């Protein structure tokens, strides 16, 4: 250590001799300088500072290069020794009496060390580190933190020393978070030893985090320690009576009287409180522990005369609908919360009122359809706030959040569509203001989103307001001032939704103006406007079909601009405006300035929506897209590997759309083969090398779609390609691809701090929110939360990967037929494990595809699948997507399983009958359109499965019960792919069981009339026509003819015409 200072010893001695030879006053000054320069070598403070200098320098040399490599394990033999040296001597840092500047530098180095080094060791250091050393290090760290915090004055002084101390605290708290996140396993092993230290951490950080006199950074850093602890070790809070302490602290934060809580984007105590209350509610199991404590505390505070406490009660309750849904769904509690919300919205105080709308938004979003009975109380209060000219603008903006949720429900469309004139009037009034502020534009944006949501649900009912809406939104699409860009972007997106709602004929008069304004927006530098333009142009492509082609030549350039991730899309689009050569230099300067202020997230979203727009063009134009294919597809294929993860998912979806361009045939077209092989190469690369599960899932689905469409001619055009896909499928089912390994690492270490050497500066709030989706977040079992629940307890994204891999399995079977059996034999044990575990509920349909594709070769597997599927159906628990898939699979196995399925026919009938009765009784009055579709698809598949079972086993089933129940499920509402099976079963019922069917013939005739009048494809109506003619020629023909004659003339004529045309 002293060698650091001994290098200048010779020069100092020479200087001393020179000074000694002079006997005058200046020599005194020289002596003084010599004393000061030599002092660091011999003084204790100097030696300590030198020691820390060298320690950190050695650490930096040891780990510095590795800091730049994400997730690179440290294997150096000296790593443990260096870490233990820092751990054992950390407490001396404060005793060194260093200057504030030097001490601050050392704290910064320590924080970087913790994040950049320790977070990369993958527990090797901490695994080898002895328990006492680990305990000593953590204890020393807390000693220093508490010492610094204890020296802070209670007032809000801005002294240099206080600012420096708070800065040190912030750095150390971030270091604590790194330590906690990287040492989970070791702390579990040392639970008893660490428990006291952890409790001490929680109490100290809560005290500092709730102190509003402290700086925001240090408060946020302190509370992030609590969030990290509750996410990694929730039982610590339940076993040490910390839960109520935390909840009380978070309520106190939300009730901070100095808080500017109305601004959602600003730092606020309320935002801190609700963020960490959400982390606690999402981590502690069972959730009722947190929910009951929050509810009782809110009940107590809501009755307070203090407006801040009433506000805190409401924003804290807003956490429960998502995090503790089952608890809040209890009718009495939900009614109580709804009553509090209504009363809060009637108050005069803007804080309480805004909190009421925050809570209302969460209830409406997460508690459908249970909260439907309260919509009539919520909606008038929302509109009253919007129409009140004296109301605070931020309260109005908050009121639009639950309004948007209500407008998105198909069940409320009759109540919300009359609100359109009011919403349009509000937008016009806000736009008429001479000086618009950012808050004004945000309010206009919120109102526009409400209109967009109404249009999406209303369909052609929106025609009444089409003219007024289009005039207003087209005017908004011409806004050019920078502050109104958000308004222009939102209006552009709204126009696309309206086009989808009203259809081609009604939107056609406005298309020229819409496209003109979209193109004008593309020449502006705002990425949000460009992204909205791509989205709306894609909507127009879906609505107009090939009629979009006249506009495509002028628009292709704007689609191409963002597709190259290595160039600035903004520079390209700005360049389109440089028509005047005299201003070229000025334009270049503007471009450079804008690039410096670039918006990477905006560029990514623009790129994603540009690719989505290309996909919409393909789906709308189909084979007519061919002339534009090379121009638009080539840059996407070229840069597919370089795109961001969210863009890669969109690329995968786009590649699946090539099936719309080329029809399936025995011989694949050369161009289709070329792009198909390029698509297979990109998709298989995404599956094997992308760490993001959502991308892998989308790539699986796209690969399945392409293989199903083109089949063996594409898959085995190159033998190695087919073998590669089969190999990847096996690795995926066995969780041997990157996305599974990546998530495992995140579960163990929460290792999402992968920026280069700057992790200490990242916003740890993202980490706390991400923890809600960790491996065990969906599991309500407390033992699971503590110890981990088996290998099959996947997070939702990985379940999607497994489900999509089963889709790929079905696609390969369809392409190869019976020849796929040897491959299936190797994969089937893993498939059975997946079905048993309950993972990938949505992938069961592939089991049916296997039966349809492989025929008799599939018989050996049928006997194993029936018990598993029936067991899953017993526990469907209102998972409608699961019910849909399992019912479909059971029906196909009965139809195609042959003799192997016969022993299961009666048990299958009982299960399907029970399922269909339950589905028919579901009240969908408060469901949105997407939810209704999911339920209807489940009904259709349960009905069709009963029909398939009747086709093969009518003699062994209670037909007198089956037929009436089967007819209640008709006509099909959503899954029309089941039409052939369902309506062919009707024909067989007429032919084989007329006596049983006789009481229900009128009902069946009415079903046939409804089907023939629907938009169902003509080729699927053949069985219906056959069935109707059979009924009208049966023994009850006269009675049935009378029924037909009693129909309104329009219906009767259409029915008779359909029979005559399609016979």
């Amino acid at each position: 250590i002293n060698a650091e200072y001994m290098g200048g010893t010779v020069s100092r001695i020479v200087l001393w001799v020179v000074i000694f030879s002079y006997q005058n006053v200046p020599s005194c000054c020289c002596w003084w300088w010599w004393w000061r320069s030599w002092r660091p070598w011999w003084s204790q403070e100097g030696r300590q500072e030198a020691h820390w200098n060298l320690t950190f320098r050695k650490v930096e040399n040891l780990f510095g290069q590795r800091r730049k490599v994400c997730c690179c394990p440290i294997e150096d033999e000296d790593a443990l020794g260096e870490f233990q040296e820092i751990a054992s001597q950390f407490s001396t840092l404060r005793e060194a009496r260093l200057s504030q500047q030097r001490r601050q530098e050392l704290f910064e180095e320590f924080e970087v060390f913790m994040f950049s080094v320790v977070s990369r060791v993958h527990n090797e250091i901490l695994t080898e580190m002895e328990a006492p050393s680990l305990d000593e290090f953590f204890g020393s760290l807390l000693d220093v933190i508490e010492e610094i915090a204890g020296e802070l004055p209670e007032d809000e002084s801005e002294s240099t020393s206080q600012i420096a101390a708070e800065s040190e605290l912030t750095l150390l708290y971030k270091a604590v978070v790194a330590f906690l996140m990287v040492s989970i396993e070791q702390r579990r092993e040392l639970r008893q030893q660490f428990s006291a230290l952890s409790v001490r951490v929680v109490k100290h950080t809560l005290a500092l985090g709730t102190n509003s006199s402290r700086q925001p950074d240090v408060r946020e850093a302190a509370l992030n320690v609590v969030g990290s602890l509750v996410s990694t070790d929730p039982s610590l809070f339940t076993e040490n009576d910390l839960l109520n302490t935390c909840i009380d602290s978070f309520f106190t934060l939300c009730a901070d009287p100095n808080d500017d809580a109305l601004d959602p984007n600003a730092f606020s105590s309320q935002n801190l409180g609700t963020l960490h209350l959400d982390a606690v509610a999402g981590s502690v199991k069972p959730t009722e522990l947190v929910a009951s404590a929050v509810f009782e505390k809110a009940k107590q505070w809501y009755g307070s005369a203090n407006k801040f406490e009433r506000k805190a009660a409401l924003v804290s309750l807003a956490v429960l609908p998502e995090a503790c849904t089952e608890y809040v769904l209890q009718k009495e509690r939900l009614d109580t919360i709804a009553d509090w919300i209504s009363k809060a919205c009637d108050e005069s105080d803007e804080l309480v009122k805004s909190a009421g709308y925050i809570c209302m938004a969460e209830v409406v979003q997460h508690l459908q359809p249970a909260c439907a009975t309260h919509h009539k109380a919520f909606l008038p209060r929302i509109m009253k706030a919007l129409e009140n000219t004296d109301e605070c603008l931020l309260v109005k903006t908050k009121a639009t959040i639950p309004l948007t949720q209500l407008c998105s429900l198909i069940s409320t469309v009759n109540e919300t569509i009359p609100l359109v004139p009011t919403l349009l009037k509000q937008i016009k009034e806000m736009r008429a203001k001479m000086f618009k502020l950012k808050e004004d534009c945000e309010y206009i944006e919120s109102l526009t989103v409400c209109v967009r949501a109404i249009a999406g649900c209303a369909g052609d009912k929106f025609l009444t307001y089409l003219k007024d809406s289009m005039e207003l939104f087209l005017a908004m699409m011409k806004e050019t001032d920078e502050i109104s860009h958000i308004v222009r972007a939102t209006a552009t997106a709204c126009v696309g939704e309206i086009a989808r709602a009203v259809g081609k004929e009604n939107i056609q008069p406005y298309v020229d103006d819409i496209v003109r304004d979209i193109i004008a927006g593309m020449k502006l530098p705002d990425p949000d406007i460009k992204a909205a333009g791509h989205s709306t142009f894609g909507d127009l492509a879906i609505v107009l079909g090939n009629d979009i082609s006249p506009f495509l030549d002028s628009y292709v350039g704007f689609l191409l601009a963002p597709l190259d991730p290595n160039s600035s899309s903004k520079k390209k689009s700005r360049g389109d405006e440089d028509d005047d050569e005299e201003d070229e230099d000025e334009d270049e300067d503007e471009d450079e300035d804008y690039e410096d202020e670039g918006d990477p997230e905006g560029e990514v979203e623009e790129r994603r929506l540009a690719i989505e727009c290309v996909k919409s063009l393909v789906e709308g134009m189909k084979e007519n897209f061919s002339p534009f294919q090379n121009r638009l597809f080539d840059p996407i294929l070229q840069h597919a590997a370089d795109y961001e993860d969210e863009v890669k998912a969109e690329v995968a979806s786009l590649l699946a759309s090539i099936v719309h361009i080329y029809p399936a045939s025995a011989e694949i077209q050369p161009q289709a083969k070329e792009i198909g092989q390029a698509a297979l190469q990109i998709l298989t690369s995404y599956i094997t090398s992308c760490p993001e599960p959502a991308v892998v899932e989308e790539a699986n689905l796209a690969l399945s779609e392409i293989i199903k469409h083109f089949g063996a001619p594409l898959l085995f055009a190159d033998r190695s390609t087919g073998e590669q896909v089969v190999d990847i499928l096996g690795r995926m089912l066995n969780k041997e691809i990157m996305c599974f390994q990546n998530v495992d690492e995140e579960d163990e270490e929460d290792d999402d701090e992968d920026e280069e050497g700057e992790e200490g500066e990242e916003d740890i709030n993202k980490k706390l929110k991400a923890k809600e989706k960790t491996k065990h977040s969906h599991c309500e079992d407390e033992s699971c939360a503590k110890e981990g629940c088996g290998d099959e307890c996947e997070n939702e994204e990985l379940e999607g990967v497994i489900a999509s891999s089963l889709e790929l399995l079905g696609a390969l079977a369809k392409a190869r037929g019976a020849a796929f059996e040897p491959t299936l034999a190797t994969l089937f044990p893993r498939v059975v494990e997946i079905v048993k575990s309950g993972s990938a509920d949505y992938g069961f349909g592939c089991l049916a595809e296997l039966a349809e594709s492989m025929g008799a070769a599939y018989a050996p597997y049928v006997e194993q699948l029936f018990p598993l599927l029936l067991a899953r159906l017993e526990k469907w628990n209102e998972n409608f997507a699961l019910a849909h898939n399992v019912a479909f699979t059971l029906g196909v196995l009965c139809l195609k399983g042959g003799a192997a399925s016969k022993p299961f026919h009666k048990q299958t009938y009982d299960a399907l009958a029970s399922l269909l009765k339950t589905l028919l009784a579901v009240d969908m009055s408060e469901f949105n359109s997407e939810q209704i579709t999911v339920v209807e698809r489940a009904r259709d598949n349960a009905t069709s499965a009963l029909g398939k079972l009747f086709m093969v086993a009518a003699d062994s089933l209670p037909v007198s019960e089956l037929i009436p129940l089967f007819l209640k499920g008709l006509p099909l509402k959503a899954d029309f792919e089941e039409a052939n099976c369902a309506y062919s079963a009707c024909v067989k019922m007429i032919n084989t069981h007329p006596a049983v069917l006789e009481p229900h013939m009128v009902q069946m005739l009415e079903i046939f009339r409804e089907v023939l009048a629907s938009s169902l494809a003509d080729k699927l109506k053949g069985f219906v026509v056959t069935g109707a003619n059979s009924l009208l020629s049966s023994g009850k023909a006269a009675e049935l003819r009378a029924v037909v004659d009693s129909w309104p003339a329009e219906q009767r004529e259409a029915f008779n015409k359909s029979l005559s045309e399609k016979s």
Side-chain angles (χ1 to χ4, degrees), residues 4 50-64 82 102 109:
E4 181 77 8
H51 169 75
W52 278 98
N53 275 330
L54 290 181
T55 300
F56 278 111
R57 186 169 301 170
K58 287 168 70 178
V59 170
E60 192 170 28
N61 291 337
L62 188 63
F63 303 126
E82 294 296 335
R102 183 58 191 143
E109 290 183 54

Side-chain angles (χ1 to χ4, degrees), residues 366-381:
H366 298 291
L367 301 182
Q368 295 295 342
C371 73
T373 54
H374 302 288
H375 290 174
K376 291 182 180 179
F378 291 165
L379 201 54
R381 287 173 168 83

Side-chain angles (χ1 to χ4, degrees), residues 644-717:
E644 303 80 2
D645 284 343
E646 53 265 55
V647 180
K648 285 181 178 178
E650 203 62 55
V651 170
S653 181
L654 169 65
L655 294 176
S657 70
I658 63 174
V659 302
H660 298 289
I661 305 176
Y662 303 101
S665 60
E667 284 192 27
I668 189 170
Q669 300 177 29
Q671 193 173 11
K673 179 180 177 181
E674 180 181 353
I675 192 171
Q677 288 183 325
L680 291 182
Q681 183 178 357
I682 291 170
L683 294 172
T684 53
S685 172
Y686 283 178
I687 292 170
T688 56
S689 62
C690 185
E692 182 59 42
V695 177
V696 178
E697 179 181 358
E698 199 63 49
N700 273 332
L701 295 175
L703 193 57
S704 302
E705 191 74 20
I706 293 171
I707 292 173
K708 286 179 183 178
H709 184 76
F710 293 110
L714 174 63
L715 187 61
F716 297 104

Side-chain angles (χ1 to χ4, degrees), residues 445-621:
E445 176 195 19
S446 300
L447 294 170
T448 306
V449 170
C450 291
V451 176
R452 180 182 179 183
I454 294 173
C457 292
D460 56 8
K461 293 180 182 178
F462 196 80
L463 285 172
T464 305
Y465 310 105
L466 177 61
K467 184 175 182 296
D468 292 341
S469 299
M470 290 305 301
E471 288 177 355
L472 175 59
F473 293 140
L474 285 172
M476 292 164 66
M477 287 175 68
K478 294 177 174 62
E479 297 275 10
T480 56
D481 57 301
E482 186 174 347
I483 198 170
S484 297
H485 279 183
I486 189 173
V487 172
R488 179 170 185 157
T490 310
T492 303
C494 186
V495 165
E497 190 68 49
I498 291 174
R500 283 179 175 262
V502 301
K504 178 177 179 179
E505 181 179 347
N506 296 302
I507 201 64
Q508 195 80 53
Y510 303 97
V511 170
D512 288 346
D513 290 334
I514 294 172
V515 175
R516 187 183 306 114
D517 288 339
I518 289 175
I519 290 176
M522 289 294 160
K523 298 177 181 179
L524 296 174
D526 193 298
D528 292 332
I529 293 178
K530 296 178 182 180
H534 292 318
S535 176
T536 298
F537 196 84
D539 290 334
L540 291 177
I542 294 292
V543 174
L544 299 178
N546 195 46
D547 288 351
I548 195 70
S549 54
F551 305 100
L552 197 48
D553 280 325
S554 59
Y555 192 75
V556 164
F558 300 108
L559 284 173
L560 292 173
L563 295 182
D564 183 356
N566 300 316
S567 64
S568 172
S569 61
K570 293 177 173 55
K571 185 173 182 179
K572 291 181 180 179
S573 56
R574 285 285 297 268
D576 293 336
E577 300 179 29
D578 300 339
D579 297 328
D580 189 349
E581 294 182 1
E582 295 179 1
D583 297 333
E584 183 176 350
D585 293 338
E586 181 180 349
D587 290 333
E588 288 178 358
D589 292 339
E590 289 178 0
D591 287 339
E592 290 175 2
D593 293 342
Y594 191 80
E595 283 188 89
D596 291 340
E597 301 174 1
D599 178 8
E601 291 185 4
E603 288 190 8
V604 171
E605 182 64 6
E606 179 190 349
R607 182 154 42 250
R608 187 188 71 79
L609 287 172
I611 294 173
E612 185 182 86
C613 181
V614 176
K615 176 188 171 186
S616 297
L617 287 166
V618 173
E619 293 176 353
M621 299 175 68

Side-chain angles (χ1 to χ4, degrees), residues 152-159 161-170 173 208-223 267 269 272:
L152 292 175
E154 289 299 324
D155 58 12
E156 300 185 34
S157 62
E158 296 290 339
S159 65
S161 61
Q162 178 177 342
I163 294 173
E166 290 186 336
S167 179
E168 290 175 0
L169 271 179
T170 303
Y173 279 131
L208 196 73
T210 53
N211 187 344
S212 59
S213 65
R214 301 277 73 89
Q215 291 295 318
D217 285 349
V218 72
R219 294 175 64 198
E220 186 172 8
L223 290 173
F267 173 88
S269 296
L272 277 181

